[in-house]
């Protein structure tokens, strides 16, 4: 059974930094394709970043501020978030096994975590 567990969310002031982690278990990590999405209540899931065999992809809204990386030995993907803004406030979800099409489309990932909340407010 595939399990993705996110951690690292929290509340902080604008300009701060957080690092989200997503540990994968029960998952054949062959493609090593992982992604991060976020969702504001009442809105659709938004692709934030993805990583695949060393290539990385970012939403324009986070480019230059967020960095996705992975530790293959630990089956873990990270999202380093710097210069956080109030508009980054959302539930952040980890996704695994990007198997087709655009990384921005949630339906193109097979497995999902339960999410971790990030709140940026002064």
């Amino acid at each position: 059974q595939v399990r993705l567990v996110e951690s690292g969310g929290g509340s902080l002031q604008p300009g701060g930094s957080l690092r989200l982690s997503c540990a994968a278990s029960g998952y054949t990590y062959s493609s090593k394709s992982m992604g991060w999405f976020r969702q504001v209540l009442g809105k659709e899931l938004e692709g934030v970043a993805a990583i695949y065999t060393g290539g990385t992809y970012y939403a324009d809204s986070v480019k230059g501020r967020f960095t996705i990386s992975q530790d293959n030995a630990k089956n873990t993907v990270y999202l380093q978030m710097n210069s956080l803004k109030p508009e980054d406030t959302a539930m952040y979800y980890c996704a695994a096994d990007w198997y087709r099409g655009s990384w921005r489309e949630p339906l193109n990932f097979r497995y999902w975590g339960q999410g971790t909340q990030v709140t940026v407010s002064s």
Side-chain angles (χ1 to χ4, degrees):
Q1 182 179 354
V2 175
R3 187 173 182 221
L4 303 177
V5 179
E6 301 99 332
S7 60
S11 298
L12 72 167
Q13 294 186 340
S17 298
L18 275 178
R19 189 177 80 156
L20 305 183
S21 299
C22 173
S25 61
Y27 170 49
T28 303
Y29 211 59
S30 58
S31 68
K32 300 179 175 58
S33 57
M34 306 283 288
W36 287 97
F37 288 75
R38 65 187 181 187
Q39 187 172 34
V40 177
L41 193 63
K43 295 190 176 181
E44 294 184 349
L45 275 167
E46 174 193 14
V48 175
I51 187 165
Y52 177 64
T53 57
T56 57
Y57 309 84
Y58 297 96
D60 288 343
S61 59
V62 307
K63 207 170 288 184
R65 300 188 297 122
F66 290 11
T67 303
I68 188 170
S69 62
Q70 60 188 12
D71 184 333
N72 294 336
K74 296 181 178 179
N75 275 9
T76 299
V77 64
Y78 304 98
L79 185 67
Q80 177 66 43
M81 305 187 295
N82 299 328
S83 302
L84 281 160
K85 305 175 181 180
E87 51 264 43
D88 294 318
T89 295
M91 183 71 80
Y92 283 72
Y93 296 92
C94 171
D97 197 3
W98 166 25
Y99 68 101
R100 67 177 185 185
S102 169
W103 69 271
R104 300 175 191 272
E105 173 53 56
L107 291 175
N108 295 338
F109 286 80
R110 282 199 173 95
Y111 306 111
W112 290 84
Q114 295 300 306
T116 185
Q117 178 69 36
V118 173
T119 302
V120 185
S121 173
S122 56

